[in-house]
Amino acid sequence: MKIVVLTGAGISAESGISTFRDSNGLWENHNIEEIATPWGWEMNPDLVLEFYNQRRRQLHEVSPNLAHYALAELEKHHEVVIITQNVDNLHERAGSTNIIHLHGELLKARDEVTDDVYDNPGDINLGDFSPNGYQLRPHIVWFHEPVPLLDKAVEEVRNADHLVVIGTSLVVYPAASLLFFTPPDCKITIIDKSIPETAIKVDSLEGSACEKVPQFVNSII
Ligand code: OAD
């Protein structure tokens, strides 16, 4: 069976990484326009760099949780593709091997002119240049920017037997539109602390990712 998993911030919440839209989430305490848009970057790059430098430093202090590990285990039994909106590396660290980072990766930096991408475990500061001689920026897909891996993600969903959606409010497009590319006989299961509304029929498992994802995985292996 081919299982495609779409994850969002909720799967990393129990590892200690804040979600965006829960109470006290990142977008309650930071201005999206200033932090996650091309014009925010143009207006105040120091503020943007500091926001992502903090997020990147935090990655070195957190660990994958039971939900990430359960998805890695699932690979031993089925073909699994993880499409994540998360920019952390917790799926990789738990052992998943087939991961599409739809919204970019904290541990990479991008040349702001050529879009060349580089591994980057540490801070990025103004004056840090790529080998091409241009400023490096976080490798994050900001609002109003294209999503380069979208076609690849759509292709995976089109071939899924089962789509499992975990810990995402499904309010950010085009990621949320992936549900509409499932083939007619594809089962869809949503696992979330608070199941988001969808226009199509889904099975739902309401509860925390660390509780429900291992249970779900055990039920299908
Ligand atoms: P949100 O913060 O919008 O949604 C988090 C979801 O996780 C909600 O549905 C919560 O109910 C659920 N949740 C929270 N804690 C949970 C837990 N312990 N177990 C299970 N579910 C839990 O985050 P995303 O949907 O990932 O984009 O946000 C999508 C995009 O918006 C992000 O990738 C980011 C943001 O702007 C960019 O920065 C480009």
Side-chain angles (χ1 to χ4, degrees), residues 7-11 13-14 19-22 27 32 36 52 85-86 103 140-143 166-172 191-196 207-210:
T7 64
I11 197 168
E14 287 158 279
T19 63
F20 294 93
R21 296 174 183 81
D22 289 303
W27 293 153
I32 294 187
Y52 291 103
Q85 298 166 84
N86 298 344
H103 291 165
I140 304 290
V141 175
W142 289 324
F143 289 96
I166 305 169
T168 171
S169 57
L170 291 176
V171 300
V172 171
I191 301 174
D192 201 290
K193 215 169 71 168
S194 165
I195 301 290
S208 87
C210 281

Side-chain angles (χ1 to χ4, degrees), residues 171-187:
V171 300
V172 171
Y173 282 75
S177 71
L178 287 171
L179 271 72
F180 303 113
F181 290 94
T182 47
D185 52 352
C186 176
K187 205 169 163 184

